[in-house]
Amino acid sequence: MDVLAGLLEGPRARGAFMIRACFDPPWSVRIADEAPLSVMIMVRGTAWIVPDTGEPQLIRPGDVAVARGPDHYTVADDRAKKPHVEIRPGEHCVPLGDTPADQYRDLGRRTWGQSLDGAAEMLIGTYQARGEITGRLLDALPPLLILPTEVWDCPLTPLLADEIAKDEPGQDVVLDRLLDLLMIATLRAWFSRPEAAAPAWYRAMGDPVVGQAIRLLQDDPAHPWTIAALAAKAGVSRAALARRFTELVGEPPMAYLTGWRLALAADLLRDGEQTIGAIARRVGYGSAFALSSAFKRVYGVSPQEHRSPVA
């Protein structure tokens, strides 16, 4: 499985929050929804993204921004402007200060803000839940990253702009898949940048030996892998594979496999469609008991507790 193609293969976007936001100066919106990940595309005008911690970033038409939650931040036409409204969990919009309740309002299908022909327009997609596989890569991202249009002209912007206003059968599913494609394409473009600090296992995918071993483990985690079997498939000795894998990835092959299996299990548990026994077999454990023991050792909770967390 290609790492980026598989990034969102587990808990893919389901009912993601997708919206076109249109504003006229002065405007300022504080984002406190604590969503795990939001992607913003500037279509028209400019905006400042001001994290609670970190430097403000200016985005211009064509730029793509990714904000990693649960950190809060403000988006405004002026980096010094105090927020007029705050977006809280559940997309609940709360006016701040003396802001009139109707200053920021519903403007039509998946459109929100001040006016349809506002000076600033953004397309925004927000994931509602964080999956463990996704987290392996998202943890390597900065809280806020910007891809300027000079380094990456997002090919999905026109399609997303067209689809976001439609109301046809299956439209929510179409938008969810478009958000997945946008996220994968954005991350691929980001990790190709010299300033991106890609995780060790991601960089190792480019190695002819270790990259092949990682793909084998990811493609078939249920296989009873051993160092000897993996080395034979990769065409090297056991010692050479173990040494090179640990050097490039930061952990031995079997430790990486355990992490990958449990990450898959965590995603499948949240999906809720399979029994714990079926999930155990799918990710390479002989029984629900074996999976439970390994899962609790790493995550600190049982698979059932992970599936049904206490509110």
Side-chain angles (χ1 to χ4, degrees):
M1 179 187 296
D2 177 82
V3 175
L4 284 171
L7 172 62
L8 300 172
E9 184 63 25
R12 297 183 300 172
R14 295 176 180 174
F17 180 60
M18 298 286 291
I19 199 168
R20 171 189 283 112
C22 305
F23 307 107
D24 270 322
W27 62 274
S28 181
V29 180
R30 179 168 171 77
I31 309 300
D33 60 1
E34 301 189 354
L37 186 71
S38 292
V39 187
M40 295 163 275
I41 303 174
M42 202 73 205
V43 177
R44 184 172 65 245
T46 62
W48 284 95
I49 302 179
V50 185
D52 281 8
T53 58
E55 292 298 316
Q57 300 278 352
L58 179 68
I59 56 174
R60 300 163 297 160
D63 291 356
V64 178
V66 177
R68 178 169 56 85
D71 296 348
H72 299 177
Y73 54 94
T74 298
V75 186
D77 67 309
D78 184 334
R79 60 190 291 180
K81 190 176 274 79
K82 292 183 178 180
H84 298 160
V85 294
E86 183 173 83
I87 308 299
R88 296 177 181 173
E91 290 81 57
H92 183 46
C93 179
V94 178
L96 301 177
D98 58 359
T99 302
D102 63 349
Q103 183 171 335
Y104 295 80
R105 61 195 183 279
D106 183 7
L107 298 173
R109 186 177 299 118
R110 299 189 190 89
T111 305
W112 176 86
Q114 295 168 312
S115 65
L116 286 172
D117 58 351
E121 178 183 345
M122 305 176 72
L123 304 178
I124 303 168
T126 298
Y127 284 85
Q128 303 298 305
R130 179 183 175 120
E132 296 299 334
I133 297 176
T134 305
R136 290 172 70 89
L137 191 51
L138 296 185
D139 286 344
L141 297 175
L144 175 65
L145 70 86
I146 308 292
L147 276 173
T149 188
E150 292 89 353
V151 302
W152 185 58
D153 184 13
C154 178
L156 296 170
T157 301
L159 181 58
L160 186 59
D162 181 59
E163 292 288 342
I164 205 168
K166 290 183 179 179
D167 188 19
E168 299 181 3
Q171 194 62 26
D172 287 345
V173 176
V174 169
L175 291 173
D176 284 348
R177 298 293 75 77
L178 280 176
L179 179 58
D180 289 339
L181 288 172
L182 174 62
M183 190 67 241
I184 292 171
T186 299
L187 293 178
R188 181 174 63 185
W190 168 253
F191 281 120
S192 71
R193 302 294 302 158
E195 67 269 25
W201 60 266
Y202 179 89
R203 297 193 303 270
M205 292 295 291
D207 183 83
V209 172
V210 177
Q212 181 181 357
I214 291 175
R215 291 184 185 91
L216 287 167
L217 297 176
Q218 291 181 342
D219 283 348
D220 192 4
H223 185 81
W225 289 108
T226 63
I227 289 288
L230 199 60
K233 288 281 189 179
V236 295
S237 69
R238 289 178 293 176
L241 175 63
R243 181 176 61 253
R244 188 158 184 80
F245 196 105
T246 303
E247 176 186 316
L248 294 182
V249 179
E251 60 183 345
M254 295 301 101
Y256 178 87
L257 176 60
T258 297
W260 180 252
R261 284 172 167 171
L262 294 178
L264 280 172
D267 287 342
L268 293 169
L269 286 163
R270 286 285 172 86
D271 187 64
E273 296 180 357
Q274 301 180 57
T275 66
I276 294 176
I279 292 172
R281 292 188 294 273
R282 183 170 172 179
V283 302
Y285 286 90
S287 66
F289 178 78
L291 172 62
S292 296
S293 297
F295 196 92
K296 192 164 187 177
R297 185 169 60 250
V298 172
Y299 287 89
V301 296
S302 70
Q304 187 58 50
E305 290 170 325
H306 179 82
R307 166 170 277 175
S308 306
V310 177

